Amino acid sequence: MNVEAMNDYINTSIEAFEMLRNLTPQIINIGQVAQGFQNFPLVQNQILNGLNQINQSLDRMDERFDQVDQRLDQMDERLDRMDERFDQVDQRLDQMDERLDQVDGRLNQMNQCLVKIDGDLEQIEENATGRAINSSCLRNESTIYWIKHNGQIPNDSVPTLRDFKQLNYAQVSRILRFYDLECERRAIENRSKLGKFLGIPFYH
């Protein structure tokens, strides 16, 4: 074998070795793939077991969700019952408010009546005092105390007994109507009625 042929052989061997080295990962991968195909039933069982566990976990989650839904439904029912009770309480409170308003109205009416009664009693007492004063009205210069009606005295009122005796028919009639008294046909009768009402002794 000459030198040139030796070099060709060596170069060819080196190239073959390089090619073999480059194919080593593929050869190893082929082995792993082959081993994987050998172990495929085991891997398949592991996958199936994992899927079954996942399904079981999902089933448990569904059960928990169902339980939560039931609890929420129960809470909704209780809230509905509470709303009904609150509505009933509101209605009772409204009824109580109405009753209280009615009681307040009655109390206000009673207060108004009491105020009126107090005013009437004060007026009666004041009028009684005025009549007592008029009972001593014996001289023409005596001062007349005019009885109040609704807190007012008549516009035609005069200060003394002399002035009272000089009141004309129209004036005496207006005073009688002021006191809600009926008028008579003659002036002397009207003056006598008015004098008795005022408590003047001359007309008793």
Side-chain angles (χ1 to χ4, degrees):
M1 180 179 295
N2 57 21
V3 175
E4 185 176 345
M6 181 67 70
N7 288 332
D8 290 337
Y9 177 78
I10 292 172
N11 290 331
T12 302
S13 299
I14 292 172
E15 290 178 358
F17 178 76
E18 289 293 333
M19 291 177 62
L20 181 62
R21 188 177 65 178
N22 292 331
L23 290 173
T24 299
Q26 285 79 2
I27 294 171
I28 294 172
N29 189 30
I30 290 172
Q32 292 176 349
V33 171
Q35 186 178 0
F37 278 111
Q38 293 176 357
N39 297 330
F40 180 75
L42 178 61
V43 173
Q44 185 179 18
N45 290 332
Q46 292 177 352
I47 293 172
L48 291 175
N49 290 332
L51 291 174
N52 289 330
Q53 292 177 358
I54 292 172
N55 286 329
Q56 291 175 359
S57 298
L58 291 174
D59 291 337
R60 287 193 295 271
M61 289 179 66
D62 287 337
E63 292 177 358
R64 293 294 300 275
F65 279 123
D66 291 337
Q67 293 174 357
V68 171
D69 287 337
Q70 292 177 358
R71 294 291 300 275
L72 289 175
D73 291 337
Q74 294 174 355
M75 291 179 66
D76 287 337
E77 292 177 357
R78 294 189 63 181
L79 289 174
D80 291 337
R81 289 195 294 270
M82 290 178 66
D83 287 337
E84 292 177 358
R85 293 294 300 275
F86 279 126
D87 291 337
Q88 294 174 356
V89 171
D90 287 337
Q91 292 177 357
R92 293 290 301 276
L93 290 175
D94 291 337
Q95 293 174 354
M96 292 179 64
D97 286 338
E98 292 178 358
R99 294 292 299 276
L100 289 174
D101 290 338
Q102 293 175 356
V103 172
D104 287 337
R106 295 291 299 276
L107 290 175
N108 288 332
Q109 291 177 354
M110 292 178 64
N111 286 332
Q112 292 175 359
C113 290
L114 290 175
V115 170
K116 187 178 184 303
I117 291 172
D118 288 338
D120 292 341
L121 290 175
E122 291 178 359
Q123 188 67 67
I124 291 171
E125 183 178 358
E126 184 178 350
N127 292 341
T129 302
R131 289 188 175 94
I133 293 173
N134 289 337
S135 65
S136 62
C137 188
L138 301 174
R139 296 178 299 176
N140 288 333
E141 294 80 14
S142 299
T143 301
I144 296 176
Y145 182 92
W146 287 92
I147 303 299
K148 291 182 179 179
H149 181 63
N150 294 328
Q152 303 292 327
I153 61 174
N155 294 327
D156 294 303
S157 61
V158 292
T160 65
L161 181 59
R162 177 183 291 108
D163 297 323
F164 181 81
K165 292 176 181 179
Q166 294 176 356
L167 290 172
N168 58 36
Y169 178 84
Q171 291 172 319
V172 175
S173 297
R174 284 195 296 268
I175 294 173
L176 288 174
R177 286 193 294 270
F178 174 81
Y179 288 121
D180 296 327
L181 300 174
E182 293 184 1
C183 296
E184 304 297 337
R185 292 183 178 181
R186 294 188 300 169
I188 188 171
E189 294 175 348
N190 287 336
R191 188 177 289 107
S192 176
K193 179 181 286 189
L194 181 58
K196 290 178 181 179
F197 177 78
L198 295 175
I200 299 173
F202 181 76
Y203 297 98
H204 280 267

